[in-house]
Amino acid sequence: GLIASLPLRNTQIAEGELLFSASGRPVFVLMGKIPAYRDLAPGISGDDVRQLEVGLKRLGFDPGPLDGSYDQQTSAAVAKWYKAKGWEPFGPTREQLTTHLTLEKDWGEANKNKMAAAALAAAADPGVESTRATAEHNNRAAATEFVAKTTERRKFAADSAQDIPQIVASERAKAEYANAAAAAELRAQIAERALIALDPRQPETARAAADAKLDVARAAAAKANLEGELAIQAAKSDATMSAERLQLAETAVRSARLEGEKAVRAAVDAQAIAELDARLATDRAHRLGADLEAARRKLGVQVPVDEIVFIAALPVRVEEIKAVVGGTATGPLMTVTDNQLAIDSSLALDQAPLVKPGMEVAIDEQALGIKATGVVEMVASSPGTRGVDGYHVYFEVRVKETLTRIEGVSLRLTIPIQSTKGDVTAVPVSALSLAADGTSRIQVQNKGALEYVVVTPGLSADGFVEVTPVRGTLAPGQFVVVGYKNPEKGGAQ
């Protein structure tokens, strides 16, 4: 957008304050090491969210637990922060509202589908049981028919001795018996007619009756013969068809079994499909429900990525303004620096290895009465950098405490390398000398006379060295010899 307001140079900007504004929206500053890289909105989590929560807590706006999760408490704290600074917080966007409504509608449809699929899945289970029962019934019916046809087939089985089916042999025997009986009856009638015909005493009616009986006997014999033949033919036909009926019954058993298996498999498959549809519908409903809940959480107040700047240390001072009001908010807009003073200095080559970052520094200037403290911020890795000569090593001291302005003043920096932890006896370094036996000694004035005292040297600083007497004694205030004056014209030493 376009720059609407900018701070003046040297403006001090504290945490939570407005840095500048663009197109009617603010850009605030908070302390943090992680740069703003995404919109901070309800439903997200991460270290950048925790960084925002910690900043809100420092500003007095309670975001709830500092857990890195942007929830409704965090949203409420952001809203209070914006309103406290005179700005309207950034609410849900049109796209977020549209997404929420769409998800709400889809979730409703998904729940309907879920219930319908659950009903089909519930109905599929009894369907499988019913299909199994029907298949078992058909299998038993086919098996019963097969047993009946097997029994029938045994009845029509051929006699092993005559190779004639038993029922055919039975019908043939019946036919022979009937034919024999009819033939006997015919012979009896023939004999009876002959007696009547030869007896002249018999009337004509008796002869007619005998002829009639003879005709009946002949018809009965023909009938017995014909019926016997038909019965034998029927038995032969039944014997032939019994094998086919048994084969059909056996095929019916296999068919019933296969059809039952097929029907059961189809019912089981339908049940599995119904259960799968129910699971998919349930999963979709749950997924849409989760998406809807996430979208609902995002409907709270948020911090757009272009409305917040995280800076590692606050407050800061506006060093340089590169943008103009009314200009496009692109490229570098301004430069800021922290409010801590830094002192540039250098170390001799032999001193540089002794100084490390983090060491305490005493800062003073006796003539101006300046006293301050600081800490070594960095030591250059090689001599001749940052504007110092090749015989010195640059180092920087960060000022911690000062009661007076020290900008532009030459200062003395004292860095304790080692401490004696208490009061010690010290002499000028030039008072220490080396004896022929390699021991260290100093020459002191004792009752008007000079004498040597063997000592053990200790720490040295500012031209003085710590000494501890090995033989003899030393007292504060004693004079020590620090040099010799050359004799002039025979004068005394």
Coordinates of all heavy atoms in Angstrom, one line a residue, residues 16 36 67 70 74 110 114 122 134 164 172 179 187 192 202 212 267 274 307 319 331 347 366 370 405 417 428:
G16 N 5.6 -2.7 21.4 CA 4.2 -2.6 21.2 C 3.7 -1.3 20.6 O 2.5 -1.1 20.4
A36 N 8.8 -12.0 11.4 CA 7.4 -12.3 10.9 C 7.4 -12.9 9.5 O 8.0 -12.3 8.6 CB 6.5 -11.0 11.0
D67 N 1.9 -21.1 25.3 CA 2.1 -22.5 24.8 C 2.4 -22.5 23.3 O 2.5 -23.5 22.7 CB 0.9 -23.4 25.1 CG -0.4 -22.8 24.6 OD1 -0.4 -21.7 24.0 OD2 -1.4 -23.4 24.9
Y70 N -2.2 -20.3 19.0 CA -3.0 -19.1 18.9 C -4.5 -19.5 19.1 O -5.1 -20.0 18.2 CB -2.8 -18.5 17.5 CG -3.2 -17.0 17.3 CD1 -2.3 -16.0 17.0 CD2 -4.6 -16.7 17.6 CE1 -2.7 -14.7 16.8 CE2 -5.0 -15.3 17.4 CZ -4.1 -14.4 17.1 OH -4.5 -13.1 16.9
T74 N -5.6 -15.7 23.0 CA -4.6 -14.9 22.2 C -5.3 -13.9 21.4 O -4.8 -12.7 21.3 CB -3.7 -15.8 21.4 OG1 -3.2 -16.9 22.2 CG2 -2.5 -15.1 20.8
A110 N -22.4 -34.1 4.5 CA -21.6 -35.3 4.9 C -22.3 -36.1 6.0 O -22.3 -37.3 6.0 CB -20.2 -34.9 5.2
K114 N -23.5 -39.8 5.9 CA -23.0 -40.7 6.9 C -24.1 -41.6 7.5 O -24.0 -42.8 7.7 CB -22.3 -39.9 8.0 CG -21.9 -40.7 9.3 CD -21.4 -39.8 10.3 CE -21.2 -40.5 11.6 NZ -20.8 -39.6 12.7
A122 N -26.1 -51.3 8.2 CA -26.8 -52.0 9.2 C -27.8 -53.0 8.6 O -28.0 -54.2 9.1 CB -27.6 -51.1 10.2
T134 N -31.2 -69.1 3.1 CA -31.8 -69.5 1.9 C -30.9 -70.5 1.1 O -31.4 -71.5 0.6 CB -32.1 -68.3 1.0 OG1 -32.9 -67.4 1.6 CG2 -32.7 -68.8 -0.4
I164 N -30.3 -107.6 -15.8 CA -31.6 -107.0 -16.1 C -32.1 -106.2 -14.9 O -31.9 -106.7 -13.7 CB -32.7 -108.1 -16.4 CG1 -32.3 -108.9 -17.6 CG2 -34.1 -107.5 -16.6 CD1 -33.2 -110.1 -17.9
R172 N -41.7 -108.3 -15.6 CA -41.7 -109.5 -16.5 C -42.3 -110.7 -15.9 O -43.1 -111.4 -16.4 CB -40.3 -109.8 -17.0 CG -40.3 -110.8 -18.1 CD -38.9 -110.9 -18.7 NE -38.6 -109.7 -19.5 CZ -37.4 -109.4 -20.0 NH1 -36.4 -110.2 -19.7 NH2 -37.2 -108.3 -20.7
N179 N -50.0 -113.8 -17.7 CA -50.3 -114.5 -19.0 C -50.6 -116.0 -18.7 O -51.5 -116.5 -19.4 CB -49.1 -114.4 -19.9 CG -48.9 -113.0 -20.5 OD1 -49.9 -112.2 -20.6 ND2 -47.7 -112.6 -20.8
R187 N -57.8 -122.0 -21.3 CA -57.9 -123.4 -21.6 C -59.1 -124.0 -20.8 O -59.8 -124.9 -21.4 CB -56.6 -124.1 -21.1 CG -55.4 -123.8 -22.0 CD -54.2 -124.8 -21.7 NE -53.7 -124.5 -20.4 CZ -52.8 -123.7 -20.0 NH1 -52.2 -122.9 -21.0 NH2 -52.4 -123.6 -18.8
E192 N -64.4 -126.2 -21.1 CA -65.8 -126.1 -20.6 C -66.7 -126.0 -21.9 O -67.8 -126.7 -22.0 CB -66.0 -125.0 -19.7 CG -67.5 -124.9 -19.2 CD -67.6 -123.7 -18.2 OE1 -66.6 -123.1 -17.9 OE2 -68.8 -123.4 -17.8
Q202 N -77.4 -130.1 -23.6 CA -77.2 -128.7 -23.2 C -78.0 -127.9 -24.2 O -78.0 -128.1 -25.4 CB -75.8 -128.3 -23.3 CG -74.9 -129.0 -22.3 CD -75.2 -128.5 -20.9 OE1 -75.7 -127.4 -20.7 NE2 -75.0 -129.5 -20.0
A212 N -69.4 -117.2 -25.0 CA -69.2 -115.9 -24.5 C -68.0 -116.0 -23.5 O -67.1 -115.1 -23.4 CB -70.4 -115.3 -23.8
A267 N -23.8 -61.2 -1.2 CA -24.3 -60.5 -0.1 C -23.2 -60.0 0.8 O -23.3 -58.8 1.4 CB -25.3 -61.4 0.7
A274 N -21.1 -51.7 1.7 CA -21.9 -50.8 2.5 C -21.1 -50.3 3.7 O -21.2 -49.1 4.1 CB -23.2 -51.5 3.0
E307 N 1.6 -6.4 9.4 CA 1.3 -5.5 10.4 C 2.1 -5.6 11.7 O 1.8 -5.1 12.7 CB -0.2 -5.6 10.8 CG -1.1 -5.1 9.6 CD -2.6 -5.0 10.0 OE1 -2.9 -5.1 11.3 OE2 -3.4 -4.7 9.1
E319 N 17.2 5.6 13.1 CA 18.5 6.1 12.6 C 18.3 6.9 11.3 O 18.9 7.9 11.1 CB 19.4 4.9 12.4 CG 20.8 5.3 11.9 CD 21.7 6.0 13.0 OE1 21.3 5.9 14.2 OE2 22.7 6.6 12.6
G331 N 10.6 -1.9 -0.7 CA 12.0 -1.7 -0.4 C 12.3 -1.2 1.0 O 11.4 -1.2 1.8
L347 N 43.6 -3.4 21.4 CA 44.5 -4.1 22.3 C 45.8 -4.3 21.7 O 45.9 -4.5 20.4 CB 43.9 -5.4 22.7 CG 42.5 -5.4 23.5 CD1 41.9 -6.8 23.4 CD2 42.7 -5.0 24.9
Q366 N 39.0 10.1 34.6 CA 39.2 10.8 36.0 C 38.9 12.3 35.9 O 38.3 12.9 36.8 CB 40.6 10.5 36.5 CG 40.7 9.0 36.8 CD 42.1 8.7 37.4 OE1 43.0 9.6 37.5 NE2 42.3 7.5 37.9
I370 N 33.9 10.6 35.1 CA 33.1 9.6 34.5 C 33.4 8.2 35.0 O 34.6 7.8 35.0 CB 33.2 9.6 32.9 CG1 32.7 11.0 32.4 CG2 32.4 8.5 32.3 CD1 32.9 11.1 30.9
R405 N 26.6 11.3 30.1 CA 26.8 11.1 28.6 C 28.2 10.9 28.3 O 29.1 11.7 28.8 CB 26.2 12.3 27.8 CG 24.7 12.5 28.0 CD 24.2 13.7 27.2 NE 24.5 13.5 25.7 CZ 23.7 12.8 24.9 NH1 22.6 12.3 25.3 NH2 24.0 12.7 23.6
I417 N 42.0 -9.2 34.3 CA 42.3 -10.5 33.8 C 42.3 -11.5 34.9 O 41.9 -12.7 34.7 CB 43.7 -10.5 33.0 CG1 43.6 -9.4 31.9 CG2 44.0 -11.9 32.4 CD1 42.5 -9.7 30.9
P428 N 56.8 -0.8 42.3 CA 57.0 -0.6 40.9 C 57.8 -1.7 40.2 O 58.7 -2.3 40.8 CB 57.8 0.7 40.9 CG 57.4 1.4 42.2 CD 57.4 0.3 43.2

